[in-house]
Amino acid sequence: MSLDQYGRRIDYLRISLTDQCNLRCLYCMPEDMSFQPASHLMQDDEILRLARIFAGLGFTKIRLTGGEPTVRGNIVEIVRALAGLPGVREVAMTTNGVLLQQLARPLADAGLKRLNISLDTTDPRKFRHLSRWGNVNDVMAGIRAAEKAGFPIKLNAVVVRGVNEREDVVDLARLTIDHAWQVRFIEMMPLGRIADFQLNHIVSENELRATIEAALGPMEAQNGGRLDGEARVFRLPDARGTVGFISSVTNPFCAACNRARLTADGKLRLCLLRDKELDLLNLLRGGAGDEELTALIEKSIWYKPWGHGLAEQSYPTHRVMSEIGG
Ligand code: SAM
Ligand code: SF4
């Protein structure tokens, strides 16, 4: 079992499989984003070796992310291998959904248990604007395929002031009335060289809740108001599904954080919103053995930062979101 110095049990590993993406969401990466050469990224056997070490340290949940994880070659085989690791109880994925029409069933068959699909608006024009070139119909088809393959549906929406903070939010929340889905609204976080844009276009949970309740009625807190993962969850009147809020900026969940992250280039990052990293891939390629890597990972986890520094206007500057994986 991996504990940090504050007594938090760290057992959830998010692995970014690639920094590449088939979209260019404007809250995630700059338009002129450049990507790393493939040789700088973890190869399949390197991902598996590190994941096995984390599993040995008591990590039970792995989430695959990116960039866009589904654009990684061998994605189905990677999922199958990770799902088969001793100690790993759940392999999940966060995806933009564009390729799910083809991949949802093979991923389910390979042992993927959960899918979070990003959808910021159902309006085709605004979707294209937010993703810089995407087609919302691809994502809707992906959601249907995921449902057919038996995945519980969780949708993630990032809200950007001036683009999707009003009727789009209401339309997304309305989906939970007829569908047993969870639609989660994520406060935009500042990272890297697009931080000014992000800070200037953030919409708070309080504002979102007021917008939704004014249009669709009062929401009732679920789970006795406790967090479900990182989300605070509510239900609209007579709704089959739920509405969640992930409010890392105005209502952080750092005290309950159980995560470690591996970036696509093999760096261990203990806080999404702090730059400090340990270069595991370099150590591994330099010949470090499993025991040495295990000891270094354990030590880094012990020193996991208590929380982010957004309240003190301190935010990460080295990477943008697509390079870490959310
Ligand atoms: N490409 C996949 C996707 O979009 O779901 C996985 C990677 S993406 C970086 C993971 C999550 O981070 C997505 O739900 C995305 O909407 C969210 N995200 C991206 N930039 C963000 C930001 N600045 N603040 C908050 N969430 C962000
Ligand atoms: Fe790609 Fe996901 Fe970032 Fe959008 S949020 S650019 S889909 S990595």
Side-chain angles (χ1 to χ4, degrees):
M1 175 163 88
S2 284
L3 287 178
D4 74 359
Q5 59 181 320
Y6 305 106
R8 292 176 297 190
R9 185 179 174 158
I10 314 302
D11 56 7
Y12 172 14
L13 180 65
R14 296 175 67 101
I15 305 178
S16 170
L17 292 180
T18 175
D19 60 341
Q20 299 266 358
C21 189
N22 44 7
L23 300 179
R24 293 283 183 281
C25 303
L26 40 93
Y27 48 76
C28 179
M29 57 167 91
E31 192 161 18
D32 60 348
M33 184 74 194
S34 55
F35 301 99
Q36 302 213 39
S39 61
H40 290 198
L41 306 186
M42 293 184 288
Q43 307 301 299
D44 295 1
D45 59 326
E46 293 168 332
I47 292 172
L48 277 180
R49 181 161 164 217
L50 289 174
R52 186 174 282 113
I53 291 174
F54 277 94
L57 281 167
F59 281 68
T60 55
K61 176 170 174 184
I62 293 176
R63 177 172 294 276
L64 301 175
T65 173
E68 174 49 40
T70 58
V71 304
R72 168 116 188 183
N74 284 345
I75 179 65
V76 174
E77 289 318 311
I78 293 173
V79 166
R80 197 187 314 282
L82 290 172
L85 286 179
V88 172
R89 284 197 215 123
E90 181 178 301
V91 179
M93 181 184 286
T94 301
T95 169
N96 62 29
V98 169
L99 297 176
L100 278 183
Q101 216 182 340
Q102 306 89 285
L103 281 173
R105 170 64 62 189
L107 287 171
D109 292 346
L112 191 76
K113 288 281 184 301
R114 288 173 188 277
L115 267 178
N116 289 359
I117 305 172
S118 299
L119 178 69
D120 308 320
T121 171
T122 54
D123 177 325
R125 196 183 47 82
K126 284 195 194 164
F127 185 86
R128 178 167 292 272
H129 173 65
L130 278 168
S131 61
R132 292 203 180 98
W133 63 52
N135 181 344
V136 75
N137 294 330
D138 295 338
V139 184
M140 299 311 290
I143 294 170
R144 284 193 295 275
E147 204 168 31
K148 217 167 157 197
F151 288 105
I153 300 298
K154 276 192 183 172
L155 302 180
N156 287 343
V158 174
V159 185
V160 181
R161 182 164 311 283
V163 184
N164 62 339
E165 87 270 35
R166 303 208 66 81
E167 60 272 25
D168 305 85
V169 163
V170 173
D171 287 346
L172 288 167
R174 192 183 285 114
L175 290 174
T176 67
I177 295 175
D178 291 333
H179 301 275
W181 298 350
Q182 187 173 98
V183 173
R184 300 154 4 133
F185 296 99
I186 303 178
E187 281 179 355
M188 193 162 41
M189 290 175 261
L191 288 102
R193 65 185 166 103
I194 55 172
D196 281 348
F197 168 83
Q198 292 155 328
L199 287 166
N200 289 327
H201 293 81
I202 186 177
V203 183
S204 71
E205 171 180 339
N206 283 348
E207 181 177 334
L208 292 172
R209 279 172 53 179
T211 303
I212 294 169
E213 292 196 320
L216 301 173
M219 293 191 286
E220 195 187 321
Q222 305 294 291
N223 308 320
R226 285 184 307 278
L227 283 176
D228 172 13
E230 66 276 52
R232 261 168 285 274
V233 181
F234 299 81
R235 194 180 292 276
L236 283 163
D238 301 321
R240 294 183 62 206
T242 53
V243 175
F245 297 91
I246 302 176
S247 309
S248 311
V249 182
T250 65
N251 211 342
F253 57 94
C254 303
C257 183
N258 61 347
R259 298 154 179 220
R261 293 176 167 83
L262 259 183
T263 60
D265 55 355
K267 310 254 190 336
L268 173 61
R269 189 170 172 118
L270 272 312
C271 177
L272 171 63
L273 294 168
R274 300 233 181 230
D275 279 321
K276 195 163 177 234
E277 295 174 343
L278 172 68
D279 193 342
L280 289 179
L281 184 58
N282 195 31
L283 289 161
L284 183 155
R285 288 185 180 174
D290 284 2
E291 268 182 33
E292 188 185 340
L293 290 169
T294 304
L296 284 167
I297 293 169
E298 257 187 314
K299 189 170 166 203
S300 302
I301 288 172
W302 180 256
Y303 289 109
K304 176 176 162 73
W306 164 247
H308 64 62
L310 296 184
E312 298 86 50
Q313 278 78 49
S314 157
Y315 52 83
T317 54
H318 295 181
R319 293 183 189 262
V320 292
M321 189 66 108
S322 60
E323 296 173 289
I324 311 168

